[in-house]
Amino acid sequence: MSLDSDVIVDRRRIRRKLTFWRIMAGLVTIAAIVTAGAIATTSGPAALAPSGSIARVNIEGLIRSDQKRVEALERLEKSSHAAVIVHINSPGGTTAGSEQLYDSLVRLKAKKPLVVVVEGLAASGGYISAMAADHIVARQSSLVGSIGVLFQYPNFTELMKTVGVKVEEVKSSPLKAAPNGFEPTSPEARAALDALVKDSYAWFRGLVRERRGMDEALLEKVADGRVFTGRQAVELKLVDQLGDEKAAVAWLVAEKKIKKDLPVRDYKLNPQLGDLTFLRTAASLAFDALGLSSIARQIEQAGVAQAVDQLALDGMLALWRPAASN
C-alpha cells in the first residue's frame, strides 16, 4: 500500500470518528435542551426570572376556567419577582372562569404588590378579573364595565317546523335540559333561567360594591350593562387612574415601595417549549458548533406556535358583546 493510500485511509477513519462524536454531542445537547424545557414548563417562567424584576402578565381574549393558568399564577406567588402588572384586554367569558381568575389574582395579590392595566377592553368577566387589584389603570379610550350576566341559547323551533323535523325526548322532570332550543321555552324554564342570571348578577354587583367602595346610587348608575371609556370610568370609580404601564410602575414605586428602575419582564401563563427563546438560541448555537448551519438557521427562523382559540363557551356568561345586550 502506498503512502498516499495510507493517508487517505487515515483521513477517512478520522472523519468517521469526528462524525460520530459530532452526532453524540448533538444528541447530548438536544437531551439537555429538552430537559431544560421540561423543567421550565413544569416550574414556569418564575424559575428563569432573575431576582429584582416586575412580572408582566397578559390576560387576553375570552376567559374560561383554566387550571394551568391557576397553577402558573401559584408559581408566580413563589417566584422572585418583586411585583406584578396584569394587562387585561378581554370582553369577559364564563362567570365561573372569571371568578376562578379573580380568586387566583386575589391570592397572588396577598403575596406580591399587584396592579392592573386595562388595554383595549376590560368588560364583564374581564372587569371581574381587574377588580382583584387594589389599583386599576386604564387608557383614556379603553372600554371598561359591562357589569351584567348573560344566558344565551339559540331556538330552532320555527326552522324545524319549516323542514319538518321534530325532536322526541323522555325526561325525568319538566325542567330537565331546559331550554333545549328545539321547542318553545316554557314560562317555568324561563323563570328558572331568570333566577340563575339574577343570582349571578347580584354576586357581580356585590363584588363591585365591595371592591370599588361604591354606594348604592353610584352602583345603580354603572351596573346597567353598558361599557364606559377610561375617562368616564375614572369619574365613576370603576378605575383609579388614566395611563399605561409606566403609570402602573410609578404607582408600585410610590405606594408599594418597589425599587425604581426594576425591569418589567413577561411572565407567560402557558409556556410552550417553542416559546422559550433561550432554548432556541442554545439549540441554534449547538447545531452551529456541530457544523449543521442549515438546521441552526431553521431553528432561529421558527415561529412560536399559536394556539387556536376555541369559541364554544358553556354555562352562564359574563361577556360583553356589542351586538347584543348584556
Side-chain angles (χ1 to χ4, degrees):
M1 181 179 293
S2 67
L3 181 60
D4 289 343
S5 299
D6 290 340
V7 170
I8 291 173
V9 171
D10 287 341
R11 285 181 177 176
R12 287 178 177 174
R13 187 181 299 115
I14 292 172
R15 190 173 299 166
R16 284 196 297 269
K17 288 182 179 179
L18 181 60
T19 301
F20 170 78
W21 286 113
R22 279 182 173 179
I23 292 173
M24 291 301 296
L27 292 175
V28 171
T29 302
I30 292 172
I33 291 171
V34 172
T35 302
I39 293 172
T41 303
T42 303
S43 303
L48 309 175
S51 60
S53 61
I54 299 172
R56 180 192 295 116
V57 174
N58 291 302
I59 304 295
E60 298 178 335
L62 298 173
I63 298 172
R64 308 175 189 77
S65 296
D66 186 343
Q67 187 57 35
K68 289 183 178 179
R69 182 181 61 211
V70 172
E71 293 168 358
L73 292 174
E74 288 175 348
R75 291 193 295 270
L76 182 53
E77 292 178 24
K78 304 171 185 176
S79 74
S80 60
H81 287 293
V84 181
I85 299 175
V86 180
H87 288 255
I88 295 180
N89 188 15
S90 171
T94 65
T95 52
S98 302
E99 181 182 2
Q100 182 195 61
L101 177 55
Y102 169 84
D103 289 341
S104 294
L105 292 176
V106 167
R107 289 193 295 270
L108 177 58
K109 184 191 65 175
K111 299 294 181 65
K112 297 182 184 294
L114 185 149
V115 58
V116 161
V117 176
V118 178
E119 295 295 342
L121 180 65
S124 288
Y127 186 63
I128 290 174
S129 304
M131 285 191 291
D134 291 330
H135 195 74
I136 303 175
V137 179
R139 298 181 183 274
Q140 296 187 59
S141 57
S142 297
L143 296 179
V144 179
S146 187
I147 298 168
V149 179
L150 173 71
F151 196 108
Q152 284 185 332
Y153 55 94
N155 193 296
F156 304 104
T157 305
E158 297 302 319
L159 175 62
M160 293 175 67
K161 287 181 181 178
T162 301
V163 299
V165 176
K166 182 179 180 181
V167 175
E168 300 286 350
E169 64 180 6
V170 177
K171 53 186 180 180
S172 58
S173 57
L175 294 181
K176 178 64 178 176
N180 58 25
F182 301 121
E183 61 185 8
T185 304
S186 68
E188 294 79 11
R190 188 171 296 277
L193 292 178
D194 184 65
L196 288 176
V197 170
K198 287 181 177 178
D199 184 67
S200 291
Y201 178 51
W203 168 76
F204 196 166
R205 283 173 57 102
L207 194 62
V208 176
R209 182 191 300 110
E210 174 189 349
R211 294 296 301 149
R212 302 306 301 171
M214 292 187 182
D215 57 30
E216 194 63 30
L218 183 55
L219 184 61
E220 284 293 328
K221 187 174 182 178
V222 301
D224 61 358
R226 79 179 87 174
V227 292
F228 303 91
T229 66
R231 288 161 56 92
Q232 294 172 320
V234 168
E235 296 179 3
L236 296 170
K237 296 179 66 174
L238 291 171
V239 304
D240 300 291
Q241 179 184 356
L242 295 177
D244 54 13
E245 184 175 272
K246 290 183 178 180
V249 172
W251 181 82
L252 288 171
V253 171
E255 300 297 329
K256 298 299 181 178
K257 310 307 178 186
I258 298 300
K259 294 180 181 178
K260 291 183 179 179
D261 302 324
L262 288 183
V264 181
R265 304 185 186 278
D266 284 329
Y267 180 93
K268 295 187 178 181
L269 297 180
N270 293 299
Q272 302 289 333
L273 182 60
D275 289 331
L276 300 175
T277 304
F278 87 97
L279 292 179
R280 288 205 305 274
T281 302
S284 175
L285 293 174
F287 282 107
D288 258 333
L290 295 173
L292 304 175
S293 299
S294 60
I295 297 178
R297 300 292 79 76
Q298 292 177 18
I299 292 173
E300 287 178 355
Q301 296 169 8
V304 178
Q306 299 296 326
V308 177
D309 194 17
Q310 300 295 327
L311 295 181
L313 294 173
D314 296 325
M316 204 146 23
L317 307 180
L319 179 66
W320 181 68
R321 289 176 176 167
S325 173
N326 255 7

Short mmCIF file of all heavy atoms in Angstrom, two decimals, residues 191-228:
data_model
loop_
_atom_site.label_atom_id
_atom_site.label_comp_id
_atom_site.label_asym_id
_atom_site.label_seq_id
_atom_site.Cartn_x
_atom_site.Cartn_y
_atom_site.Cartn_z
N ALA A 191 -88.34 31.22 33.90
CA ALA A 191 -88.24 31.72 35.27
C ALA A 191 -87.02 31.14 35.98
O ALA A 191 -86.33 31.83 36.74
CB ALA A 191 -89.52 31.38 36.04
N ALA A 192 -86.73 29.85 35.72
CA ALA A 192 -85.56 29.23 36.33
C ALA A 192 -84.27 29.88 35.83
O ALA A 192 -83.35 30.15 36.62
CB ALA A 192 -85.55 27.72 36.02
N LEU A 193 -84.20 30.17 34.53
CA LEU A 193 -83.03 30.84 33.98
C LEU A 193 -82.90 32.25 34.52
O LEU A 193 -81.80 32.72 34.83
CB LEU A 193 -83.10 30.87 32.45
CG LEU A 193 -82.97 29.53 31.73
CD1 LEU A 193 -83.12 29.73 30.23
CD2 LEU A 193 -81.64 28.89 32.05
N ASP A 194 -84.02 32.92 34.64
CA ASP A 194 -84.02 34.29 35.17
C ASP A 194 -83.47 34.31 36.59
O ASP A 194 -82.71 35.22 36.96
CB ASP A 194 -85.44 34.85 35.13
CG ASP A 194 -85.49 36.30 35.57
OD1 ASP A 194 -84.90 37.15 34.86
OD2 ASP A 194 -86.10 36.60 36.61
N ALA A 195 -83.82 33.30 37.39
CA ALA A 195 -83.32 33.23 38.76
C ALA A 195 -81.80 33.02 38.78
O ALA A 195 -81.09 33.61 39.60
CB ALA A 195 -84.02 32.09 39.51
N LEU A 196 -81.29 32.20 37.85
CA LEU A 196 -79.85 31.99 37.76
C LEU A 196 -79.12 33.28 37.41
O LEU A 196 -78.12 33.64 38.04
CB LEU A 196 -79.54 30.94 36.68
CG LEU A 196 -79.89 29.48 36.98
CD1 LEU A 196 -79.59 28.62 35.75
CD2 LEU A 196 -79.12 28.96 38.17
N VAL A 197 -79.63 33.98 36.40
CA VAL A 197 -79.00 35.21 35.95
C VAL A 197 -79.02 36.26 37.06
O VAL A 197 -78.02 36.93 37.33
CB VAL A 197 -79.69 35.74 34.68
CG1 VAL A 197 -79.20 37.15 34.35
CG2 VAL A 197 -79.42 34.80 33.51
N LYS A 198 -80.16 36.41 37.73
CA LYS A 198 -80.27 37.41 38.79
C LYS A 198 -79.36 37.10 39.96
O LYS A 198 -78.79 38.01 40.58
CB LYS A 198 -81.72 37.52 39.25
CG LYS A 198 -82.62 38.23 38.25
CD LYS A 198 -84.04 38.34 38.76
CE LYS A 198 -84.91 39.12 37.77
NZ LYS A 198 -86.33 39.20 38.22
N ASP A 199 -79.19 35.81 40.29
CA ASP A 199 -78.32 35.45 41.40
C ASP A 199 -76.86 35.78 41.06
O ASP A 199 -76.13 36.34 41.90
CB ASP A 199 -78.46 33.96 41.71
CG ASP A 199 -77.66 33.56 42.93
OD1 ASP A 199 -77.98 34.00 44.04
OD2 ASP A 199 -76.67 32.81 42.77
N SER A 200 -76.43 35.44 39.85
CA SER A 200 -75.06 35.76 39.45
C SER A 200 -74.86 37.27 39.34
O SER A 200 -73.79 37.80 39.68
CB SER A 200 -74.72 35.09 38.12
OG SER A 200 -74.63 33.69 38.28
N TYR A 201 -75.87 37.96 38.86
CA TYR A 201 -75.79 39.42 38.74
C TYR A 201 -75.66 40.07 40.12
O TYR A 201 -74.89 41.02 40.31
CB TYR A 201 -77.02 39.94 38.01
CG TYR A 201 -77.09 41.44 37.86
CD1 TYR A 201 -76.02 42.16 37.33
CD2 TYR A 201 -78.24 42.14 38.23
CE1 TYR A 201 -76.09 43.53 37.17
CE2 TYR A 201 -78.32 43.51 38.07
CZ TYR A 201 -77.25 44.20 37.55
OH TYR A 201 -77.32 45.57 37.40
N ALA A 202 -76.40 39.53 41.09
CA ALA A 202 -76.30 40.06 42.46
C ALA A 202 -74.89 39.86 43.01
O ALA A 202 -74.34 40.73 43.70
CB ALA A 202 -77.33 39.38 43.35
N TRP A 203 -74.28 38.71 42.70
CA TRP A 203 -72.91 38.46 43.14
C TRP A 203 -71.95 39.46 42.48
O TRP A 203 -71.07 40.01 43.14
CB TRP A 203 -72.51 37.04 42.77
CG TRP A 203 -71.04 36.78 42.90
CD1 TRP A 203 -70.33 36.58 44.05
CD2 TRP A 203 -70.07 36.74 41.83
NE1 TRP A 203 -68.99 36.39 43.78
CE2 TRP A 203 -68.81 36.49 42.42
CE3 TRP A 203 -70.16 36.87 40.45
CZ2 TRP A 203 -67.64 36.39 41.66
CZ3 TRP A 203 -69.00 36.76 39.69
CH2 TRP A 203 -67.76 36.52 40.30
N PHE A 204 -72.13 39.70 41.19
CA PHE A 204 -71.28 40.64 40.44
C PHE A 204 -71.43 42.05 41.04
O PHE A 204 -70.43 42.73 41.32
CB PHE A 204 -71.71 40.62 38.97
CG PHE A 204 -70.73 41.23 38.01
CD1 PHE A 204 -70.86 41.01 36.65
CD2 PHE A 204 -69.66 42.03 38.44
CE1 PHE A 204 -69.97 41.57 35.74
CE2 PHE A 204 -68.76 42.59 37.54
CZ PHE A 204 -68.93 42.35 36.18
N ARG A 205 -72.65 42.49 41.26
CA ARG A 205 -72.89 43.81 41.84
C ARG A 205 -72.25 43.94 43.22
O ARG A 205 -71.65 44.95 43.57
CB ARG A 205 -74.39 44.09 41.94
CG ARG A 205 -75.06 44.47 40.64
CD ARG A 205 -76.57 44.55 40.84
NE ARG A 205 -76.93 45.50 41.88
CZ ARG A 205 -77.38 46.74 41.66
NH1 ARG A 205 -77.51 47.17 40.42
NH2 ARG A 205 -77.70 47.52 42.67
N GLY A 206 -72.41 42.89 44.03
CA GLY A 206 -71.84 42.92 45.37
C GLY A 206 -70.32 43.02 45.33
O GLY A 206 -69.71 43.71 46.16
N LEU A 207 -69.71 42.36 44.35
CA LEU A 207 -68.26 42.43 44.20
C LEU A 207 -67.82 43.84 43.83
O LEU A 207 -66.84 44.36 44.37
CB LEU A 207 -67.83 41.44 43.12
CG LEU A 207 -66.33 41.11 43.03
CD1 LEU A 207 -65.83 40.46 44.31
CD2 LEU A 207 -66.07 40.20 41.83
N VAL A 208 -68.57 44.48 42.92
CA VAL A 208 -68.24 45.85 42.53
C VAL A 208 -68.40 46.79 43.73
O VAL A 208 -67.55 47.65 43.98
CB VAL A 208 -69.14 46.31 41.37
CG1 VAL A 208 -68.88 47.78 41.03
CG2 VAL A 208 -68.91 45.45 40.13
N ARG A 209 -69.50 46.64 44.48
CA ARG A 209 -69.74 47.50 45.63
C ARG A 209 -68.60 47.36 46.66
O ARG A 209 -68.09 48.36 47.17
CB ARG A 209 -71.06 47.13 46.29
CG ARG A 209 -71.41 48.01 47.49
CD ARG A 209 -72.58 47.48 48.30
NE ARG A 209 -73.79 47.36 47.51
CZ ARG A 209 -74.34 46.21 47.13
NH1 ARG A 209 -73.76 45.06 47.47
NH2 ARG A 209 -75.44 46.19 46.42
N GLU A 210 -68.19 46.11 46.91
CA GLU A 210 -67.15 45.87 47.92
C GLU A 210 -65.78 46.33 47.45
O GLU A 210 -65.07 47.04 48.18
CB GLU A 210 -67.11 44.37 48.25
CG GLU A 210 -65.98 43.98 49.19
CD GLU A 210 -65.84 42.48 49.31
OE1 GLU A 210 -66.73 41.74 48.84
OE2 GLU A 210 -64.80 42.04 49.85
N ARG A 211 -65.39 45.92 46.24
CA ARG A 211 -64.03 46.18 45.78
C ARG A 211 -63.81 47.64 45.39
O ARG A 211 -62.71 48.16 45.55
CB ARG A 211 -63.70 45.27 44.58
CG ARG A 211 -63.66 43.80 44.92
CD ARG A 211 -62.55 43.48 45.89
NE ARG A 211 -61.24 43.88 45.34
CZ ARG A 211 -60.23 44.27 46.07
NH1 ARG A 211 -60.34 44.36 47.39
NH2 ARG A 211 -59.06 44.60 45.50
N ARG A 212 -64.86 48.30 44.87
CA ARG A 212 -64.69 49.67 44.41
C ARG A 212 -65.26 50.69 45.37
O ARG A 212 -65.22 51.90 45.09
CB ARG A 212 -65.34 49.83 43.03
CG ARG A 212 -64.79 48.90 41.96
CD ARG A 212 -63.28 49.00 41.82
NE ARG A 212 -62.86 50.35 41.46
CZ ARG A 212 -61.60 50.77 41.45
NH1 ARG A 212 -60.63 49.94 41.79
NH2 ARG A 212 -61.31 52.02 41.11
N GLY A 213 -65.79 50.25 46.50
CA GLY A 213 -66.26 51.16 47.53
C GLY A 213 -67.37 52.08 47.07
O GLY A 213 -67.37 53.28 47.36
N MET A 214 -68.36 51.53 46.37
CA MET A 214 -69.45 52.34 45.82
C MET A 214 -70.67 52.33 46.73
O MET A 214 -70.96 51.32 47.39
CB MET A 214 -69.87 51.81 44.45
CG MET A 214 -68.84 51.99 43.37
SD MET A 214 -69.52 51.51 41.75
CE MET A 214 -68.08 51.76 40.71
N ASP A 215 -71.40 53.45 46.74
CA ASP A 215 -72.70 53.44 47.40
C ASP A 215 -73.74 52.94 46.40
O ASP A 215 -73.46 52.75 45.21
CB ASP A 215 -73.07 54.83 47.93
CG ASP A 215 -73.06 55.89 46.84
OD1 ASP A 215 -73.34 55.57 45.66
OD2 ASP A 215 -72.76 57.07 47.15
N GLU A 216 -74.95 52.73 46.87
CA GLU A 216 -75.99 52.12 46.03
C GLU A 216 -76.35 53.00 44.84
O GLU A 216 -76.62 52.50 43.74
CB GLU A 216 -77.24 51.83 46.87
CG GLU A 216 -78.24 50.91 46.19
CD GLU A 216 -77.68 49.51 45.92
OE1 GLU A 216 -76.81 49.06 46.69
OE2 GLU A 216 -78.12 48.89 44.93
N ALA A 217 -76.35 54.31 45.03
CA ALA A 217 -76.71 55.22 43.95
C ALA A 217 -75.71 55.13 42.79
O ALA A 217 -76.10 55.04 41.62
CB ALA A 217 -76.79 56.65 44.46
N LEU A 218 -74.43 55.14 43.12
CA LEU A 218 -73.42 55.04 42.07
C LEU A 218 -73.42 53.66 41.44
O LEU A 218 -73.25 53.51 40.22
CB LEU A 218 -72.04 55.35 42.65
CG LEU A 218 -70.87 55.35 41.65
CD1 LEU A 218 -71.14 56.30 40.49
CD2 LEU A 218 -69.57 55.70 42.34
N LEU A 219 -73.66 52.64 42.24
CA LEU A 219 -73.71 51.27 41.72
C LEU A 219 -74.83 51.12 40.70
O LEU A 219 -74.66 50.50 39.65
CB LEU A 219 -73.89 50.28 42.87
CG LEU A 219 -73.88 48.79 42.50
CD1 LEU A 219 -72.54 48.41 41.87
CD2 LEU A 219 -74.16 47.94 43.72
N GLU A 220 -75.99 51.70 41.00
CA GLU A 220 -77.11 51.65 40.05
C GLU A 220 -76.74 52.31 38.73
O GLU A 220 -77.16 51.88 37.66
CB GLU A 220 -78.33 52.35 40.65
CG GLU A 220 -79.06 51.54 41.71
CD GLU A 220 -79.71 50.30 41.12
OE1 GLU A 220 -80.13 50.34 39.94
OE2 GLU A 220 -79.80 49.29 41.84
N LYS A 221 -75.93 53.34 38.80
CA LYS A 221 -75.56 54.09 37.60
C LYS A 221 -74.62 53.30 36.70
O LYS A 221 -74.71 53.38 35.47
CB LYS A 221 -74.91 55.41 38.01
CG LYS A 221 -74.64 56.36 36.86
CD LYS A 221 -74.12 57.70 37.37
CE LYS A 221 -73.90 58.68 36.22
NZ LYS A 221 -73.43 60.01 36.72
N VAL A 222 -73.72 52.51 37.31
CA VAL A 222 -72.71 51.83 36.49
C VAL A 222 -73.05 50.38 36.18
O VAL A 222 -72.42 49.78 35.30
CB VAL A 222 -71.33 51.86 37.20
CG1 VAL A 222 -70.90 53.28 37.45
CG2 VAL A 222 -71.35 51.05 38.50
N ALA A 223 -74.04 49.81 36.86
CA ALA A 223 -74.30 48.37 36.74
C ALA A 223 -75.49 48.06 35.85
O ALA A 223 -76.22 47.10 36.10
CB ALA A 223 -74.51 47.77 38.13
N ASP A 224 -75.67 48.85 34.78
CA ASP A 224 -76.79 48.59 33.88
C ASP A 224 -76.34 47.87 32.60
O ASP A 224 -77.09 47.78 31.63
CB ASP A 224 -77.50 49.88 33.51
CG ASP A 224 -76.59 50.89 32.80
OD1 ASP A 224 -75.40 50.58 32.63
OD2 ASP A 224 -77.08 51.98 32.45
N GLY A 225 -75.12 47.35 32.60
CA GLY A 225 -74.66 46.55 31.47
C GLY A 225 -73.86 47.31 30.42
O GLY A 225 -73.26 46.69 29.54
N ARG A 226 -73.81 48.62 30.51
CA ARG A 226 -73.07 49.38 29.49
C ARG A 226 -71.58 49.41 29.79
O ARG A 226 -71.15 49.10 30.90
CB ARG A 226 -73.61 50.81 29.40
CG ARG A 226 -73.11 51.71 30.50
CD ARG A 226 -73.63 53.12 30.38
NE ARG A 226 -74.92 53.26 31.04
CZ ARG A 226 -75.55 54.42 31.18
NH1 ARG A 226 -75.01 55.52 30.69
NH2 ARG A 226 -76.71 54.48 31.80
N VAL A 227 -70.80 49.77 28.76
CA VAL A 227 -69.37 49.99 28.95
C VAL A 227 -69.09 51.49 28.98
O VAL A 227 -69.87 52.29 28.46
CB VAL A 227 -68.53 49.32 27.84
CG1 VAL A 227 -68.61 47.81 27.94
CG2 VAL A 227 -68.95 49.80 26.46
N PHE A 228 -67.98 51.85 29.60
CA PHE A 228 -67.57 53.25 29.72
C PHE A 228 -66.15 53.40 29.21
O PHE A 228 -65.35 52.46 29.26
CB PHE A 228 -67.64 53.69 31.18
CG PHE A 228 -68.98 53.51 31.83
CD1 PHE A 228 -69.30 52.33 32.50
CD2 PHE A 228 -69.95 54.51 31.75
CE1 PHE A 228 -70.53 52.15 33.09
CE2 PHE A 228 -71.20 54.34 32.33
CZ PHE A 228 -71.49 53.16 33.00
#
